[in-house]
Amino acid sequence: MIIKLERIKVQSRKSEEAINITPVVDEVVHKSGVRHGLVNVMNMHTSAGLLVTEGIPCLEEDILTHFTRLVPEDQDYHHRRYLDYDGRLGFNADAHLKSVLGGISCCFPVEDGKIVRGSRQTIYFMEYDGPLERTYVVQVLGE
Amino acid sequence: MRQGKGSKTPGPVGTKIMIDFHTHPVLIQELAKKYPDYERASREVFHIGNNFQPLETFFLQMDVAGIERAVLLPIDCRRARKLAVSSNEQVAELCQGSSRFIGFASVDPRRKGAAKELQDAVEKLGLRGVKLDPALQDFAPSDPRAFAVYEVAEALGIPALVHAGMSWAPETPLERCHPLLFEPPVRRFPKLNFVLAHFGWPWVWDAIAMALKYPNVYLDTSSLYYDSPKEFFQFVFSKQVPTTLIERSLRNKVVFGSNYPRVEIKNMVHALRSLALTEGCLHKIFVENAERLLARPEPQRMRRK
């Protein structure tokens, strides 16, 4: 049984952004030596997300726009208060809720050393509160 | 007078280079890796819990907010808190790496040689103003030792950005944060421009009275103590204080400040723009007033005691 875990940093450059990380995940699987098993990808933040969809710019824009429609910035959020543990106010409830809605992880089978995914399935790191340097983990398990 | 590489003259009046007059370089990965005490000062003295970020994030935060240049503020609280919340040398180092940064110095008025230290920070490190925080640095603004620092700042022709209003840092008594504590030095040093940070909240009217009364008192907008930036600004600057007061009477006395990274710069820019201020007034707050404060007159000859 092989278990390989990598922590990968990504620098978002906008307030909201869909960043295609599929090639990075492919490479981690390739390097892991796992021929048959699973790969799990997880974002390590609560105001960013991770999701799978077709990899085209119009959909990237539609997802971000629709999330903003579902979770507008100007709403009455309880999170808008002083957070002692952070030494600052929390006013990014919308980013947290988008993270909840879109999810933070995905899992794919690995077969013959490659991810098994549909031809249009693309893995995105979703930034909802950038720009920030973020971290996600890729864990490959198998033999 | 020598100036460091990072000390650039802001664009001429009339440009659209927006300046953030109030940021703290407390979460920069490159400094955390290089200086052993930097992280502990940020966490334990300044009290901020966010992740450390590469310097690139700072510039990107400025970019998405439309801010071209940022004033970096250290706080010399080595005597009072055992650690400096970033040092003059670290600020100078950041300024040498980018002309987008405008570095201020901080000295502890109660430490021997503070005035000379400030003079060196300006003349040798190229820093462009002085930051003082009576609560975090544990000094009284009217302490005669502080007057020696004001005197040098006035002679150097640099502005003094002073903490006024509630501080989030631990062990900072509110009684040290009141804007009226600065009235004696403001009166004594009429050629030294004082910027009262955070609009003096919750003593907003006191801070405003100072800015209305004294030509050498300015206010910065880095004020956020509850709700979201937009909600806070909408209440404080339209209900508590009429927006027209800023538009008509304080348009030449307010500079934009975000207090990043306690607040993201973009949120404070949006909050300020949400007020019913004219573009002309906003231009003064984002650009002109800061440029005027940073434009140094010919330095006066140092008075010897």
Side-chain angles (χ1 to χ4, degrees):
Chain A
M1 178 80 163
I2 300 170
I3 303 175
K4 288 280 174 68
L5 185 143
E6 279 200 35
R7 291 174 176 79
I8 297 168
K9 292 191 184 303
V10 58
Q11 174 75 56
S12 64
R13 311 187 75 80
K14 300 175 184 173
S15 295
E16 295 194 320
E17 192 175 5
I19 302 170
N20 181 355
I21 58 169
T22 315
V24 182
V25 178
D26 282 341
E27 180 63 17
V28 173
V29 171
H30 175 71
K31 285 194 306 183
S32 71
V34 171
R35 297 292 299 165
H36 299 283
L38 290 169
V39 57
N40 189 56
V41 189
M42 188 193 80
N43 149 41
M44 293 188 66
H45 306 274
T46 59
S47 59
L50 200 141
L51 53 78
V52 176
T53 189
E54 184 172 356
I56 44 178
C58 54
L59 272 176
E60 294 170 2
E61 194 174 335
D62 283 342
I63 291 164
L64 290 170
T65 303
H66 190 63
F67 277 178
T68 299
R69 204 177 294 136
L70 291 171
V71 190
E73 187 184 342
D74 290 331
Q75 288 291 308
D76 183 14
Y77 299 115
H78 283 91
H79 189 50
R80 291 178 172 177
R81 64 182 184 86
Y82 180 65
L83 306 171
D84 181 59
Y85 54 88
D86 265 345
R88 53 170 291 167
L89 282 102
F91 43 79
N92 61 345
D94 55 323
H96 288 294
L97 292 172
K98 287 171 186 175
S99 174
V100 170
L101 285 173
I104 62 157
S105 67
C106 67
C107 186
F108 285 94
V110 173
E111 183 183 54
D112 292 329
K114 292 183 178 174
I115 296 180
V116 179
R117 57 181 168 83
S119 62
R120 299 192 177 189
Q121 285 184 318
T122 302
I123 307 168
Y124 281 103
F125 182 94
M126 302 298 291
E127 177 60 79
Y128 304 125
D129 192 23
L132 286 169
E133 183 189 71
R134 302 288 205 167
T135 305
Y136 60 95
V137 294
V138 181
Q139 188 174 46
V140 194
L141 303 93
E143 51 192 30
Chain B
M1 187 172 288
R2 281 193 297 162
Q3 292 191 335
K5 290 178 187 172
S7 182
K8 309 274 183 180
T9 306
V13 171
T15 63
K16 291 188 177 178
I17 293 175
M18 286 169 48
I19 298 171
D20 185 338
F21 217 85
H22 194 130
T23 73
H24 296 279
V26 292
L27 289 179
I28 296 172
Q29 277 177 10
E30 289 86 341
L31 294 182
K33 285 174 185 167
K34 191 170 174 183
Y35 299 101
D37 289 334
Y38 177 85
E39 180 171 353
R40 200 155 62 87
S42 298
R43 295 290 190 230
E44 295 175 16
V45 182
F46 190 76
H47 186 51
I48 189 155
N50 293 66
N51 291 335
F52 285 84
Q53 290 284 320
L55 189 54
E56 185 181 14
T57 297
F58 202 129
F59 296 125
L60 290 166
Q61 289 281 347
M62 292 167 68
D63 290 343
V64 297
I67 293 292
E68 179 57 29
R69 308 191 80 185
V71 170
L72 304 180
L73 303 171
I75 307 171
D76 180 1
C77 42
R78 287 172 290 176
R79 176 189 48 81
R81 299 289 187 272
K82 313 292 184 203
L83 294 167
V85 178
S86 55
S87 67
N88 296 342
E89 290 73 20
Q90 288 165 359
V91 167
E93 185 179 326
L94 292 169
C95 292
Q96 282 162 10
S98 173
S99 60
R100 297 185 71 181
F101 287 144
I102 300 160
F104 275 32
S106 182
V107 295
D108 179 350
R110 287 178 58 185
R111 276 168 64 111
K112 196 176 177 184
K116 177 69 169 66
E117 198 180 334
L118 176 60
Q119 187 176 347
D120 287 347
V122 172
E123 295 181 346
K124 295 178 181 172
L125 298 177
L127 301 181
R128 310 264 309 270
V130 61
K131 156 75 175 178
L132 297 169
D133 184 334
L136 203 49
Q137 293 181 291
D138 185 29
F139 76 94
S142 293
D143 188 318
R145 290 168 290 190
F147 276 54
V149 173
Y150 305 137
E151 186 179 358
V152 167
E154 185 182 57
L156 289 166
I158 58 171
L161 190 144
V162 297
H163 181 95
M166 194 177 104
S167 169
W168 290 117
E171 300 175 49
T172 47
L174 283 164
E175 65 180 4
R176 275 282 162 83
C177 301
H178 201 290
L180 289 183
L181 294 174
F182 279 98
E183 190 173 24
V186 160
R187 295 181 62 189
R188 171 79 176 272
F189 299 96
K191 291 181 182 171
L192 172 58
N193 287 320
F194 288 81
V195 181
L196 303 179
H198 314 299
F199 243 87
W201 192 94
W203 305 287
V204 173
W205 278 111
D206 300 79
I208 287 172
M210 292 274 282
L212 288 173
K213 183 174 175 67
Y214 297 109
N216 59 328
V217 173
Y218 290 69
L219 305 170
D220 89 27
T221 65
S222 64
S223 194
L224 176 64
Y225 291 90
Y226 53 83
D227 295 343
S228 71
K230 194 171 169 184
E231 288 170 326
F232 184 87
F233 273 44
Q234 289 286 338
F235 181 79
V236 174
F237 301 123
S238 68
K239 294 184 174 66
Q240 186 178 354
V241 172
T243 313
T244 48
L245 175 66
I246 300 172
E247 175 72 36
R248 296 169 186 165
S249 299
L250 291 177
R251 52 171 30 213
N252 294 311
K253 302 299 284 293
V254 177
V255 291
F256 171 75
S258 68
N259 206 18
Y260 177 76
R262 282 208 202 278
V263 193
E264 283 66 38
I265 304 169
K266 63 183 179 182
N267 297 98
M268 297 300 268
V269 169
H270 294 158
L272 186 60
R273 287 195 183 282
S274 75
L275 299 174
L277 295 168
T278 62
E279 276 304 312
C281 181
L282 287 170
H283 189 263
K284 284 176 179 289
I285 294 172
F286 280 121
V287 182
E288 287 179 29
N289 297 340
E291 285 182 345
R292 193 168 60 254
L293 281 168
L294 293 165
R296 288 174 61 188
E298 280 297 308
Q300 299 169 29
R301 183 182 295 275
M302 290 292 175
R303 282 171 284 191
R304 289 187 183 277
K305 290 202 168 181

